[in-house]
Amino acid sequence: MKRTLRTGVVSVAAVLLIAACGGGNSDTVTYRDAENRSLFELPNEWNLYRADELIQIVPVPFLPDIGGYRPISFVAFDGAAGRSLDNLAVDVTTSPYPIGAHIIRQISPDEKDLLSRRIMALSAYDVMDGGQGVNVDTWDFTFGRDYKGIGASVGLTNEDGRRQGLVYVLAVTNPEGTELYSMAAGCSLDCFTRQGEQIVEAVDSWVVNTRR
């Protein structure tokens, strides 16, 4: 299955096209959650933070508080030069390095029926600056076996319009409508120009175990 990264944000379309068409990086580390629900690969030089570390910070960086959709598993990661939880508490529009997260949320079938494509996209990352403008472009995405959802490009513009950021998101629900899975990564537009290939590859490496 080929995944295609699209965006309605004209100013970043060229950046995304370059990122999606780049070559692969074989120097990666694989993360697999303890219950074998999903896995993904990150470049060796990136930093991974597990839940027991992340809960030391309130609010948890890159973990948006979406009422009713309770996180039951989450990790975050970044591409900064040094490993520090402070790396995650950065506005996406100013971040000079990739920041991302993998989140599994518990939901109910009724809540699944209320999930909009926009909510699915925004449940995957936290916008640090409440004054940002948000432009969400989504498309259908599936892992098969009724694990269905959306892919999204989320363009961010800060309040004064001088800074832009970009987040690439994949999100699906399980067939029973009890879990919402998401994978997202992004950074400032300048950063995405330089490291978009790695960001897209990291998010696209994500696989949900549909045979559980």
Side-chain angles (χ1 to χ4, degrees):
M1 172 179 55
K2 182 178 181 181
R3 303 174 185 175
T4 304
L5 178 57
R6 304 186 293 114
T7 179
V9 185
V10 175
S11 60
V12 300
V15 176
L16 288 173
L17 181 61
I18 293 170
C21 294
N25 180 0
S26 60
D27 298 324
T28 58
V29 173
T30 300
Y31 168 80
R32 188 192 309 268
D33 72 272
E35 296 189 18
N36 194 32
R37 287 174 292 204
S38 63
L39 63 83
F40 59 86
E41 296 179 346
L42 297 177
N44 280 330
E45 64 271 20
W46 287 19
N47 310 297
L48 180 72
Y49 308 87
R50 299 176 184 270
D52 57 349
E53 297 177 273
L54 295 172
I55 59 176
Q56 299 174 30
I57 304 175
V58 179
V60 178
F62 228 74
L63 182 65
D65 181 11
I66 306 295
Y69 307 112
R70 183 174 66 87
I72 55 176
S73 175
F74 52 90
V75 294
F77 52 88
D78 67 60
R83 191 178 190 279
S84 171
L85 288 172
D86 292 339
N87 296 344
L88 303 174
V90 178
D91 187 323
V92 174
T93 65
T94 63
S95 178
Y97 48 79
I99 303 174
H102 173 247
I103 306 169
I104 302 175
R105 296 177 184 272
Q106 184 179 64
I107 61 174
S108 70
D110 289 341
E111 288 167 338
K112 179 182 177 181
D113 291 340
L114 296 174
L115 274 176
S116 69
R117 296 165 75 93
R118 183 179 178 88
I119 289 176
M120 291 185 75
L122 297 183
S123 69
Y125 75 99
D126 196 14
V127 178
M128 295 296 181
D129 183 348
Q132 288 175 338
V134 182
N135 187 315
V136 181
D137 180 50
T138 65
W139 56 93
D140 293 335
F141 177 79
T142 180
F143 282 111
R145 293 178 175 266
D146 285 329
Y147 281 76
K148 299 177 182 178
I150 54 99
S153 59
V154 182
L156 303 172
T157 305
N158 78 322
E159 193 170 9
D160 64 14
R162 295 182 179 179
R163 302 190 306 270
Q164 289 183 300
L166 187 64
V167 180
Y168 176 35
V169 179
L170 295 176
V172 298
T173 55
N174 65 346
E176 298 77 17
T178 58
E179 293 178 337
L180 169 62
Y181 300 74
S182 63
M183 178 76 173
C187 56
S188 69
L189 193 55
D190 286 344
C191 160
F192 213 108
T193 302
R194 299 189 308 272
Q195 295 186 257
E197 178 183 326
Q198 284 187 312
I199 292 170
V200 172
E201 287 180 352
V203 176
D204 277 356
S205 73
W206 178 51
V207 178
V208 170
N209 182 0
T210 63
R211 298 180 180 274
R212 293 180 71 244

